[in-house]
Amino acid sequence: GRELITSYYGFGDTSSGGFGATVECPGGIHGRFGLWGKDEEDTSSNFKELLNLVQTVEEEAIAGHL
């Protein structure tokens, strides 16, 4: 059967120092929150938002949730 997995991001203002994302799947809700490092300090908020989403999906796949 099919399963619906939804990723929400934007639980933090990427133009400042923090980020956040939530993934909702049949097994539960997983959250990811943190602060940007110096490498991302000079990048645009659009880049940070996309990076946040990509890293969240990658981490969920590694954890076996996808």
Side-chain angles (χ1 to χ4, degrees):
R2 290 184 164 191
E3 291 183 352
L4 177 63
I5 298 171
T6 306
S7 177
Y8 304 96
Y9 69 101
F11 296 101
D13 181 3
T14 59
S15 64
S16 66
F19 65 85
T22 303
V23 176
E24 181 180 0
C25 56
I29 297 175
H30 307 111
R32 178 177 177 269
F33 305 94
L35 298 173
W36 293 110
K38 291 196 181 286
D39 291 344
E40 290 83 17
E41 200 168 63
D42 295 327
T43 58
S44 72
S45 62
N46 288 339
F47 175 82
K48 289 177 189 173
E49 288 173 1
L50 180 59
L51 180 61
N52 180 26
L53 180 59
V54 169
Q55 289 178 339
T56 299
V57 171
E58 288 176 340
E59 287 183 14
E60 290 295 309
I62 290 168
H65 299 145
L66 304 181

